[in-house]
Amino acid sequence: MNFNSIQYFTFFLVVISIYFLLSHKYRWILLLCASYYFYMCWRVEYILLILGSTVVDYFAAIQMGKTTSASKRKIYLFLSLFINIGLLFSFKYFNFFNDSLRGVFNHYNIFYGVPAFNVMLPVGISFYTFQTLSYSIDVYKGEKEPEKHFGIFALYVAFFPQLVAGPIERSTRLLPQFLEKFSFDFVRVVDGCKRILWGLFKKVVIADRLAILVNHVYNSADDFTGIPLIIATYFFTFQIYCDFSGYSDIAIGTSQVMGFKLMENFKSPYLSSSVSEFWKRWHISLSSWFRDYLYIPLGGNRKGKWRWYYNLFIVFIVSGLWHGANWTFIIWGALHGIYLLFTIWTKNIRSKTFSLIGLKENSLALKFLSVFITFNLVAFAWIFFRANSVSDAFFICTNLFTGLNLNTSFNLGTGHVSLLLSALSILFLIFTDTTQLFSKSSIPFKSRRMMYQFVFYNMVIFGILLFGIKVGPKFIYFQF
Amino acid sequence: MKKKIVTIALLFILSVICTHIIVRILYAQMMSLTIIERTDRDFVNSKNHIQYLILGDSHALNAINSELWMNSFNFSSQGENYAGTYFKLNHILNQTNKIIDTVLLPIDLHNFSFAQSKRIEPSYYWVRYINYGEWGKRRQNQFHFFNKYMQGKVFPYTENFEQLITQIYESKSPLVPKRIKKFSLHMNKESGTQLRVKNHFEKKYYVDDDLLYYFKKSLSLCQSKNIPILLIKYPLTYEYYKNALDYIDIAHFYNKIYSIAAKTPATTILDFQDDFFGKDSLFKDPNHLNKEGATIFTHMVMGRIDSLQVTSHNSVLF
């Protein structure tokens, strides 16, 4: 059940209506049943994975709460980590490592007989696994009391708006909200609906439209050089942003309608003036997860310069691997790690250069230049994220600027009107993102005059109705 | 506070309704530029007595040039299937004052395919002819057809607004290369034909029971009004025919159609299917005649009909 389907909106309306009619006491049952039903719409049997993970983490946390023995607590934490990471490894990474090992063995002509594990990747496994892992670690560290109510804990693991693609919520934030009583608040409901509409617009009008062109070029990358590759790469940069942030907006909006506040996942990331700032604004729930549960435990920047560099790089490699079991994602992560290290190493040189050419520290020109460079670096890295293989990615990188001839006609898999609509919708996105950044509101045009809001949301609604792609691809992050 | 919220909500709803009205008017204006709407207007303004009424999809639309054929009207439309044809015919015969002497209906290979059963757009046009309740009941998908009905009546722009803009832009813009009008000059004849045939026949089956049902109903309707019917097998390229053999048992298919036709008096079958084999320059694609082809074909049909002397008492001829 995709968020951009009639089925989802019917499901949502039914759940919301019953939710507000039900007494607070029984709402968790409704939400849990709805969440399990929502997940089973993809594949019924994979609900067992969520159930298994829920049961293990629930009991591990309860046992950790009961004992004061550090070693016993460690055993329960290890049990939780082993089961969760084991599931994730089996379903997501086993074949990748297995194939890589087979490649090495074959290279040395050694027999390698471990068969592949041919199963479909359970949707959202990386998201809910990380969510439950954070709970176990928080309980182990004593930052969170174990949740005694099994149903509420199960709901925390499977809460449908953020189950399949985040935001990855912390137990300290989300669990207490399930115990709160939310009544129907018109303003909150309207704000939630605005968020859903904007998310839907980003998905069906921008992302799905750009996907047609991007897929056309990237799925047969060898056939193109120069401008089509550049256009497709920039378009993918916006496609993935609109696809994922669109999903997050719908998830946050859906929760907001019911009264729950999920964490923000995006804050106009393409307007960042450095790669480190980009990671504070892109997929915030994941980057903060890595910061809290990997970077800091590794020692962060407290164990000397070289160890700091190492920690940063490792976090980005793992982040790449989290996205997918493929070398393209690892290179994408590594590239971001390199960007960050390069930024650190060249900090002084850059300051000197800027002052030499007369650019002041906080000047608008420098800010604009920084945003421009950061955006292009990020866009370049997306090549590895989107390419079907490492060889495709390298082909694209090496052919981005070959055969640059504006007079050459090229087929981008879509007509002029669609191309124009793509460009206009990107401009509309940049405009909205900029206004959001200045108004510091996650809901577009919330702080503007009523008339502007009316105009904006009319444009959004009719944009969806007139130009939305009816049968578009799934959300990109569902595969992770 | 509550009053203010209600006022704002009402004002917003009002603004949405206003936008809807504006967009709907804009859509109607744009639709009026399309061939399908122009043909509809021409039909209303045409003479009350029409000797030959041609119905069908793009095959018929492209093949017969009414301007060359006195007292004929080509009321075919792109993507029209037999459900659409039946309801349109029913409307013409029962709700207009037009007098029709003979009806020409298509019996091409793809006319009864599953793919064809899905094609009945735009709803804005078809809602004036089709009884979506009945069609939905037959397809056992009343929700879908209710949706289509609503689309046609209330929100037509949700169906094909972008296609419309594209269509208008492509017909006017010098930036868009015009399509090659001769199939013989196409670069990818082979693969293009394969794809087209695949799109026509690949899915599920090539004889859809519901389309057959409306075909029979169309014959019965004409019979009840004493109107003779000419069933036309429109010309195809050899490439198309050859590829279709991979999907269809053509002999079996036509035996089925002929047996239905044989049960209806005053039904004549005119077969032009292979008359244009090897004459690819007369087609614009594997299965549609171009303007030149249409001129030749229209004269061929006129000549063949003249020799037949069709009346409402004729029996099936081959």
Side-chain angles (χ1 to χ4, degrees), chain A residues 399-410:
Chain A
N399 286 283
L400 274 178
F401 301 105
T402 53
L404 280 181
N405 185 359
L406 283 172
N407 293 325
T408 317
S409 67
F410 42 78

Side-chain angles (χ1 to χ4, degrees), chain A residues 6 186-187 197 209 415-418 421 450 453-454 457-458 461-462 465-470, chain B residues 1 5 8-9 11-12 15-16 19-20 23 157-159 161-162 165-166 169-170 173 175-176:
Chain A
I6 295 280
F186 185 80
V187 176
L197 276 175
R209 178 177 303 284
H416 293 180
V417 172
S418 192
L421 282 171
M450 201 55 70
Q453 288 196 43
F454 279 15
Y457 285 101
N458 266 290
I461 292 171
F462 285 92
L465 293 176
L466 297 174
F467 303 115
I469 304 291
K470 306 286 182 299
Chain B
M1 183 68 183
I5 289 170
I8 291 170
L11 279 173
F12 182 70
S15 74
V16 172
T19 317
H20 160 75
V23 175
Y157 50 80
T158 57
E159 201 173 29
F161 193 78
E162 194 180 329
I165 300 177
T166 310
Y169 167 79
E170 285 182 351
S173 171
L175 293 172
V176 181

